[in-house]
Amino acid sequence: MMEAAGYFATSWIDPHLLGLTALGTLAGVYIGAIPGLSVTMAASILISFTFKWDVNAALALIAGVYVGGVYGGARSAILLNIPGAPSAIATALDGYPLAQKGLAGEAIGLSTVMSVLGGLVGVLALAVAAPLISEIAIKFTSREYMLLGIIGILLVGTLSGESFAKGAFMGALGVMIGMVGLDPMTAETRFTYGSINLMGGIPFVVAMIGLFGVAEALIQLERIDKTPIKQAVSKIIPRWRDVRRYLGVGLRASGIGAIIGALPGTGGDIAALLAYDDAKRSTRKPETPFGEGAKEGLIAPEAANNAAVGGAFVPMLTLGVPGDAVTAIIIGALFIHGLKPGPLLLVETPHLFWFIVGNLTLANLFLLLFGLTGVRVFSKIVECPKAVLMPLIIVLSAVGAYAIQNNPIHIYWTLGFGIAGYFLKKYGFQVGPVILGVILGPMIDANYRRAMIGARQEPGQFFLDLLTHPISLMLTIALLLMLLAQTPVLKWFGDLLYRKRRTE
Amino acid sequence: MKSPPSLRPGELAFALLLLGFSLAAFYEAYQISGFTGLTTGGAMPMTAAAVMIVSGLFIVKDTLARRGGPAPSLRETAAFLVPPRLLIFTALLIAYAAAIPWAGFVAASSGFLLISIMLLWRRGPWWAAGVTLIAMAAIYLIFRLGFQVVLPMGTLWR
C-alpha cells in the first residue's frame, strides 16, 4: 500500500515531472479549445518527439495534454459555439445559450469545476476497476485476446461514422497496413515489394499523424473564412451554491462517463452525448429548458467527457486494448518504451500503473487551476486564424513524422496518408478504426495463429474452443451480438417476441 | 449512426474504387502464401482483405440505394472534392515534401509557411513573413533545442 502511494506521488514530488504535467495540461487546454486542433492530433505528433525521453516524462506530458484537451473543447463551445473537440459537441448545446445571456464566465467556471469532478471520478474508477479487471484478464489466453482485438476495432467502426460497413472497411484496412513488413513469426515479407523502407513496417505514428493531422488540416481548409462570434467573459469563479446544487448531476454524469470511457472504442464524445441525454431525461423541472441554457445540460457532458479519460485507461492498461483514439496513441508510446500493456502490467510494473493514476489526478488539479484563470489570454489565442494554423499543422506533422526514425521517407508517407484520409473523410469514412486496426492488427494476427496452433490447426477444434471456454464464449457472444445488431435479425426477433406477448 | 441525406458527388465512383482496391489487396495477400495453411503469414492479410471486399460490396450497395436525381457533372464532383484552394495547397504540400531533402527542413518549411499563409490569409506579404519568422523560431527552439530532433539539413547546404 505504501509502495503504491509512493508510485502515485512520483509526479507530485519530482519538479521535472510536475512541470511537464502542468505544461501538458496548459497546452492541452489551448489545443482542445482551438477549433481544428485536436488532442488526438497533438498526442500523435508529441509521441514522435518524446519517445527518446524517460517513459514517465513522456507519459506526464501526453496525459496532461489529454486531460487538458478534453476540457479545452468546452471553452470554445461556450464562447464561440464551435466545439473545439468532438467531446464538446454536447457542451455547445447549452453552453453557448448561457454565454449569449451574458453568463459565459459562470458557464466556464462551472464547466471547469465539473470537468475536474468528472476527471477525478474517472481516475478513481481506474484505480478501483483496473486491478479487478486485471485479475480476470490474467486468465485470458490468445483466443480471448484475438476476440478482444476484433471487438475493439468493430466497436469503433459501429459507433463512429455513417455505416457499419464503412467502419468495418476502415478497420480491415488498418489491419492490412499493420501487416506490412516482416512477419514476426516466419520472417516472411508481407506487402514490402522489395523496399527496405517497408521491411520494418509502416510506423503507426506515421499513419496517425497523416490521418489525424494532415487530413484534418486539408478538411479544415474549406472552413478557413468563417470568423466566430465571441462572447464577453465576466466573473469566472462559480458560486458555491451552484456547485452544491448541481453536484448530483455532475456525479451521475461522471459515472456514465467512466463506464462509457472504459468500453473499448468509445471515448469522451459518446460519453458526453449519452450523459447529456440522461440529464435531459432525469431533470424533471430544469430552471431553464434544455437547449436554451440549462446548467444541467452544460455540466453533464463536461463531467462525463473528463470522466471518460480515466475510464479509457482501464481497458488499455488491463487488456492492452485502447479505450479511444488517444489511449491508442498512449499504448503506442508504451510499446515504444518496451512496456506491454495488458493484465501483467499491474503485476510486472505496478509503479507505472500507480504513476499514471497519480499523474492523471495531478493533471486534473492543474486543470482546476488553469481552467479558472487566464481567460483573457485564452480568448485571444483561440481567435488565431486557421489560415495560419493549418500550414503550421502541416509543418509540425512533417517534423513529427521525420523525428520517429530520422527518415525523410516517413514525411512522404505521412502526406500520402493525409491525402488519402482527406478523400475518405469527404465520403463519410472515419479514420479512427484505421488506427485501431494498425495497432491491434498485429496483436490479432499473432493471437489468432497461436490459438489456431493450439487447436492443432483444425478449424472445427478452433471454433469449439471459442464456445467451450467460459471467457471465450462470453466474448464470442458479444462479438456475434455486435454483428447481428447490424442486420435486421435482432429487430425481427424483437418484433416476433413483442407480437407473441401481445397475443398471449 | 447518421445517414447522409443524399449522395455526394463522385461517391459511387469512390465506392467502386475502394472495392477495386480491396480486390487488388486480396490478390496481393494471396501472393504471400496462398491457401497453403491456416497459420501462414498470408492468412490474416487475406482475412482482412476479404472483410474489405465484403464491406466494400455493402458500401457499393448502400451507395446505389441512395442514388436519386440526376448524376452530378464532372465539374460538380471536382468542386466538391478538390476545390481550387485545396488543389493549390496540395500542390504546395507536394512541392514542400520534395524540397525538404534538397533545401533542408528550415528553408523548405519557411518557404512553405510563407507562401501558404500569404495565399490563405490575404493580409499581405509582411504579415505572412512576420508570422513565418515567429513560427519558425518557435519550432526551432522547441523541437531542435527542446526535443533535440535532428532536422534534415538538405544537400544544398553541404
Side-chain angles (χ1 to χ4, degrees), chain A residues 422-437:
Chain A
Y422 166 80
F423 287 115
L424 288 163
K425 277 175 173 232
K426 278 295 259 190
Y427 286 117
F429 288 81
Q430 294 289 321
V431 291
V434 180
I435 298 301
L436 238 67

Side-chain angles (χ1 to χ4, degrees), chain A residues 246-263:
Chain A
Y246 298 112
L247 195 64
V249 181
L251 281 173
R252 192 181 159 110
S254 304
I256 295 174
I259 295 168
I260 300 294
L263 294 177

Side-chain angles (χ1 to χ4, degrees), chain A residues 206-496:
Chain A
V206 165
M208 216 146 55
I209 298 176
L211 293 172
F212 285 113
V214 179
E216 190 55 36
L218 294 178
I219 290 276
Q220 294 284 337
L221 275 182
E222 283 172 31
R223 301 168 205 154
I224 241 164
D225 304 319
K226 285 182 190 156
T227 41
I229 306 152
K230 204 182 70 185
Q231 303 295 326
V233 184
S234 51
K235 182 180 169 286
I236 199 169
I237 309 283
R239 278 178 298 205
W240 176 240
R241 189 165 51 101
D242 270 356
V243 174
R244 237 182 24 204
R245 184 170 170 197
Y246 298 112
L247 195 64
V249 181
L251 281 173
R252 192 181 159 110
S254 304
I256 295 174
I259 295 168
I260 300 294
L263 294 177
T266 53
D269 42 353
I270 292 159
L273 285 167
L274 286 178
Y276 181 84
D277 189 51
D278 173 74
K280 205 170 162 183
R281 281 166 204 246
S282 59
T283 312
R284 295 242 170 83
K285 283 179 189 157
E287 219 171 71
T288 318
F290 275 80
E292 293 173 25
K295 285 182 182 160
E296 292 89 347
L298 167 79
I299 289 162
E302 270 317 290
N305 63 24
N306 274 69
V309 173
F313 273 88
V314 177
M316 183 198 100
L317 293 176
T318 56
L319 309 170
V321 176
D324 65 355
V326 186
T327 37
I329 297 167
I330 297 176
I331 229 177
L334 294 177
F335 280 138
I336 289 172
H337 285 96
L339 296 159
K340 282 194 184 128
L344 288 175
L345 184 114
L346 263 86
V347 182
E348 288 170 355
T349 49
H351 57 90
L352 187 79
F353 174 73
W354 290 110
F355 170 78
I356 290 174
V357 174
N359 191 242
L360 285 174
T361 313
L362 183 67
N364 272 293
L365 297 183
F366 277 123
L367 185 62
L368 190 65
L369 178 71
F370 298 134
L372 296 178
T373 52
V375 176
R376 293 241 168 87
V377 187
F378 174 86
S379 42
K380 285 266 169 283
I381 292 181
V382 172
E383 284 172 65
C384 180
K386 279 188 186 169
V388 174
L389 267 182
M390 295 311 132
L392 262 178
I393 290 172
I394 301 288
V395 173
L396 288 180
S397 300
V399 199
Y402 177 79
I404 307 164
Q405 289 171 7
N406 286 357
N407 188 349
I409 204 96
H410 290 163
I411 299 178
Y412 304 135
W413 290 357
T414 299
L415 297 181
F417 274 112
I419 293 169
Y422 166 80
F423 287 115
L424 288 163
K425 277 175 173 232
K426 278 295 259 190
Y427 286 117
F429 288 81
Q430 294 289 321
V431 291
V434 180
I435 298 301
L436 238 67
V438 177
I439 294 173
L440 296 178
M443 171 189 132
I444 298 172
D445 181 32
N447 284 301
Y448 154 74
R449 285 154 89 180
R450 267 184 229 132
M452 190 51 112
I453 290 166
R456 280 170 267 125
Q457 308 229 29
E458 285 172 24
Q461 184 61 43
F462 177 79
F463 288 111
L464 198 67
D465 285 345
L466 291 180
L467 304 174
T468 49
H469 293 80
I471 304 173
S472 295
L473 180 66
M474 266 168 56
L475 292 172
T476 308
I477 291 172
L479 180 63
L480 288 177
L481 281 177
M482 270 177 62
L483 292 172
L484 278 179
Q486 303 305 324
T487 64
V489 176
L490 278 190
K491 194 179 169 296
W492 173 79
F493 191 67
D495 286 349
L496 196 79

Side-chain angles (χ1 to χ4, degrees), chain A residues 191-199:
Chain A
F191 310 111
T192 54
Y193 306 101
S195 158
I196 298 169
N197 281 313
L198 285 170
M199 290 269 192

